[in-house]
Amino acid sequence: DTEVTQTPKHLVMGMTNKKSLKCEQHMGHRAMYWYKQKAKKPPELMFVYSYEKLSINESVPSRFSPECPNSSLLNLHLHALQPEDSALYLCASSPNDRVISGYTFGSGTRLTVV
Amino acid sequence: QKEVEQNSGPLSVPEGAIASLNCTYSDRGSQSFFWYRQYSGKSPELIMFIYSNGDKEDGRFTAQLNKASQYVSLLIRDSQPSDSATYLCAVRVGGSNYKLTFGKGTLLTVNP
């Protein structure tokens, strides 16, 4: 299994809703990432988990809350989002904490906040 | 700010030609360099990575790295219409184990 699986693929939520994005990998990778990508922009790092511990938070607003329940799963909990948070949310993983061979990205969740 | 710069394009080449994509980076401590391909509406897909000066070839793709000039490029030989996509250059900057910094990407169009 060489995939990173993200669910759902599309999500529309209101500004008062609470929702969660899910990411799963079974490659034995020990580092997992959340990136945000706006249209025609490069991906921007949000969070890094290494060995199931949060190691990097790129000053992300608290309405985004990451969680790593185990080495295969990564969640992103969303609450009270703004329309400007609409974007493609990408999960990625890498074998270890050195990113020597790059990330494997999931197919992404396209989020629309209304 | 540790930056990665790419010409946004669009770069247009005829089918069968060589497409040359370029990337410069500002941090001399950068250690690993990656090229990702991203089709419209899809997620980035890793094409190649390189961390030593010189050329690295994989099929129709060649990555070239020149650390003294802080320059990395991607050559696509025998370009096909299916190569039409945005190509993202990414750099693991010095002092950061995990973080890749991405350029804004170059849109490549291969015309039949």
Side-chain angles (χ1 to χ4, degrees):
Chain A
D1 187 351
T2 58
E3 288 189 347
V4 176
T5 303
Q6 289 188 245
T7 54
K9 295 195 181 304
H10 301 274
L11 178 62
V12 179
M13 62 184 291
M15 289 188 285
T16 59
N17 291 160
K18 287 184 180 181
K19 297 286 185 183
S20 296
L21 309 184
K22 181 179 176 180
C23 175
E24 190 168 8
Q25 58 87 13
H26 295 288
M27 295 179 281
H29 287 181
R30 303 312 302 269
M32 297 184 75
Y33 312 79
W34 281 114
Y35 272 80
K36 173 183 177 179
Q37 187 177 26
K38 304 275 280 185
K40 299 190 184 303
K41 299 290 186 182
E44 295 180 352
L45 182 65
M46 299 176 72
F47 302 105
V48 179
Y49 273 83
S50 176
Y51 294 85
E52 300 155 54
K53 295 190 185 305
L54 182 65
S55 59
I56 295 179
N57 176 341
E58 290 282 298
S59 302
V60 178
S62 59
R63 58 185 184 269
F64 296 90
S65 177
E67 179 195 21
C68 188
N70 59 56
S71 60
S72 299
L73 284 176
L74 186 65
N75 298 321
L76 186 62
H77 303 297
L78 313 173
H79 173 56
L81 294 193
Q82 303 297 310
E84 59 264 30
D85 296 322
S86 299
L88 180 66
Y89 287 84
L90 295 163
C91 176
S93 69
S94 62
N96 53 43
D97 62 357
R98 294 303 299 266
V99 201
I100 293 174
S101 54
Y103 303 149
T104 300
F105 279 100
S107 57
T109 294
R110 188 160 300 281
L111 174 67
T112 303
V113 181
V114 298
Chain B
Q1 183 74 13
K2 298 174 180 177
E3 295 184 342
V4 179
E5 299 285 346
Q6 294 182 255
N7 187 329
S8 62
L11 173 65
S12 182
V13 300
E15 184 174 355
I18 295 174
S20 178
L21 303 159
N22 304 315
C23 174
T24 59
Y25 58 94
S26 62
D27 180 19
R28 285 196 172 275
S30 299
Q31 299 178 12
S32 305
F33 307 86
F34 306 86
W35 284 100
Y36 283 84
R37 176 176 64 197
Q38 187 171 26
Y39 294 111
S40 181
K42 303 295 185 181
S43 63
E45 173 191 9
L46 181 66
I47 298 175
M48 294 191 69
F49 62 91
I50 186 169
Y51 45 83
S52 299
N53 275 330
D55 295 359
K56 180 181 179 182
E57 185 175 321
D58 184 1
R60 295 188 295 114
F61 300 96
T62 299
Q64 299 174 316
L65 175 61
N66 183 324
K67 289 188 177 181
S69 300
Q70 296 175 237
Y71 175 93
V72 57
S73 65
L74 180 70
L75 301 178
I76 306 175
R77 290 182 299 281
D78 188 23
S79 295
Q80 301 297 309
S82 59
D83 295 324
S84 299
T86 295
Y87 289 80
L88 297 165
C89 173
V91 174
R92 181 165 74 90
V93 300
S96 172
N97 280 340
Y98 316 111
K99 181 178 179 179
L100 295 189
T101 299
F102 287 83
K104 293 183 178 180
T106 297
L107 177 61
L108 172 66
T109 301
V110 181
N111 300 305

